[in-house]
Amino acid sequence: MNAPSKPITFEVGGHRPEAKPSVGGLASHPREHEPISFLVLLLPGFSQLCLSSMIDPLRLANSLSGSTLFGWQVVSLDGRSVESASGISVEVAGSFDECQKSLLLDRSRTLMICAGEGVERHKTDDLRAFLRRCVRARVSVYALGTATWLLADAGVLSEVRCTIHWGSMAAMSETFYGLAIDDALFVRDGHIVTCAGELSAFDLAMVLVEERSGAELARNICQHVIADRWRDGANFQSAPPGLRYANAGKKLLSIIQIMEKHIDDPMPLEEVARRGLLSRRQMERLFVQHLSTTPRRYYLSLRLLKARQLIELTAMPVMEVAVACGFISSSHFSKCFRDHFKLPPSQLRKV
């Protein structure tokens, strides 16, 4: 999935080695006592879980600290309420058009875009042009969930590492060739912050709080929402449940990442084990112990999952999907797909 070996962790005020230090966003805020202000653009189909996971910790930071550390204004493209993926509509304070000029002029403000299902339907020439102007003006841009797709469509990610929700990762890597996409919870590169969305938005918010006011306030927020911890941005977002914190799981995650990076040209399992610094037998034992399956079956499931994403989210012909997922013939691909998902690829595209 185009993921490099080591995802870039989120670093407030961080920058690429060849780039100048960040100007917009948290680290460059003109005065520490002033609130960090987000203009939050909601797009239809956004995840309500993602929005709440991002905004509620910031609200609690204000409440528990007794001061206004963060501020936000929620807008939509047309100024009307926006329906989330769950069918619940959220009222907004105005239209995006009304706020564009102030966003470019006020360097203390940050653009945050929250998108979800069907994000590709919301790309417009006006939004594409505005995102380019934001990047040129060094306005910090936060893309949550599938909003990274809009940044890719605007052509501003060519030299930027990024992430997107794992369900859209395969489609984005095939649609926008050459992007450096990390399978990470969130990534900051220069002025652009991309986040996988859902609960990873909580982790991103907690890092913002920690950088703004320290770890003690962040821990108090965790206690308030009954959360044990917040995760580092470099965590592997599509890791199987239960592996993120297990010691033995770290070795297995390394193997899975190797498999993820060799979907279109599958590696022999002996080579996968060697690169993961394990023997074939050790690798087999880890898969059975933690995932109740074999490496061969798991590797095949990764390839088929990517194939399903490409069929559902792109217009690629089935034969091209098969090749992109390491199958040498469409008949073999169709049989494996049907055995795994209980329906043929052609039928899935019609659904």
Side-chain angles (χ1 to χ4, degrees):
M1 290 189 181
N2 244 4
S5 58
K6 185 179 180 182
I8 294 179
T9 57
F10 182 84
E11 185 178 335
V12 178
H15 54 89
R16 286 170 287 156
E18 71 277 9
K20 295 180 180 179
S22 295
V23 174
L26 183 55
S28 62
H29 205 271
R31 285 181 288 276
E32 286 298 321
H33 66 275
E34 292 185 357
I36 297 164
S37 179
F38 291 99
L39 179 67
V40 183
L41 172 61
L42 293 185
L43 295 177
F46 75 93
S47 165
Q48 195 174 18
L49 175 61
C50 175
L51 179 65
S52 297
S53 297
M54 185 71 200
I55 298 300
D56 270 4
L58 304 185
R59 174 187 64 82
L60 285 169
N62 292 345
S63 176
L64 295 177
S65 68
S67 59
T68 305
L69 302 175
F70 301 95
W72 52 89
Q73 179 185 12
V74 181
V75 299
S76 65
L77 289 173
D78 58 7
R80 299 177 181 177
S81 61
V82 187
E83 185 174 314
S84 68
S86 61
I88 298 175
S89 293
V90 173
E91 295 295 329
V92 299
S95 74
F96 185 55
D97 286 344
E98 297 168 349
C99 304
Q100 289 187 22
K101 186 176 181 180
S102 64
L103 181 66
L104 290 171
L105 292 176
D106 185 355
R107 301 300 293 276
S108 68
R109 302 194 78 185
T110 295
L111 174 63
M112 181 183 296
I113 308 174
C114 186
E117 298 175 1
V119 64
E120 64 279 358
R121 296 195 298 268
H122 305 300
K123 58 185 182 180
T124 64
D125 290 339
D126 288 343
L127 181 57
R128 188 181 297 116
F130 180 72
L131 290 175
R132 290 171 180 167
R133 288 199 298 273
C134 284
V135 172
R136 286 196 298 268
R138 301 177 72 79
V139 172
S140 289
V141 179
Y142 285 57
L144 308 184
T146 61
T148 308
W149 191 285
L150 299 174
L151 300 184
D153 178 66
V156 300
L157 296 180
S158 59
E159 297 181 0
V160 176
R161 291 200 178 280
C162 63
T163 191
I164 193 171
H165 188 278
W166 66 266
S168 299
M169 196 175 294
M172 193 169 89
S173 66
E174 293 292 335
T175 304
F176 306 100
Y177 182 75
L179 296 184
I181 307 174
D182 289 344
D183 185 5
L185 298 181
F186 46 88
V187 176
R188 176 165 187 159
D189 195 345
H191 296 274
I192 296 178
V193 179
T194 52
C195 174
E198 309 301 352
L199 289 177
S200 67
F202 173 80
D203 304 304
L204 172 56
M206 296 308 296
V207 171
L208 286 172
V209 171
E210 182 183 24
E211 292 292 336
R212 182 71 165 86
S213 295
E216 183 63 27
L217 179 57
R219 284 193 292 267
N220 288 341
I221 293 173
C222 278
Q223 184 178 23
H224 192 89
V225 301
I226 318 176
D228 289 337
R229 70 186 91 183
W230 65 94
R231 298 167 294 177
D232 183 86
N235 276 21
F236 184 27
Q237 65 166 289
S238 58
L243 289 185
R244 289 191 177 95
Y245 304 116
N247 289 331
K250 293 179 181 178
K251 296 180 180 179
L252 187 52
L253 283 177
S254 176
I255 294 294
I256 293 173
Q257 287 177 316
I258 293 170
M259 292 178 172
E260 287 270 7
K261 284 181 273 184
H262 294 85
I263 294 289
D264 58 342
D265 186 18
M267 298 175 59
L269 292 177
E270 289 77 8
E271 178 63 15
V272 172
R274 188 189 69 79
R275 294 196 182 192
L277 304 179
L278 295 171
S279 69
R280 172 71 180 268
R281 182 171 297 181
Q282 287 174 319
M283 182 176 69
E284 300 262 2
R285 191 181 302 118
L286 283 175
F287 271 89
V288 171
Q289 178 183 350
H290 292 280
L291 300 176
S292 301
T293 189
T294 65
R296 185 177 303 279
R297 289 177 181 172
Y298 190 85
Y299 203 172
L300 178 61
S301 72
L302 288 179
R303 294 161 59 200
L304 292 171
L305 179 59
K306 177 179 178 180
R308 179 163 188 155
Q309 292 172 7
L310 294 179
I311 290 172
E312 291 181 328
L313 300 177
T314 75
M316 292 173 62
V318 172
M319 186 61 214
E320 289 186 14
V321 171
V323 172
C325 298
F327 294 91
I328 59 175
S329 72
S330 58
S331 59
H332 178 56
F333 166 65
S334 296
K335 180 182 184 305
C336 292
F337 193 97
R338 186 170 54 251
D339 291 344
H340 191 79
F341 295 113
K342 310 306 178 187
L343 77 170
S346 56
Q347 184 178 339
L348 180 66
R349 180 154 279 173
K350 292 177 182 178
V351 173

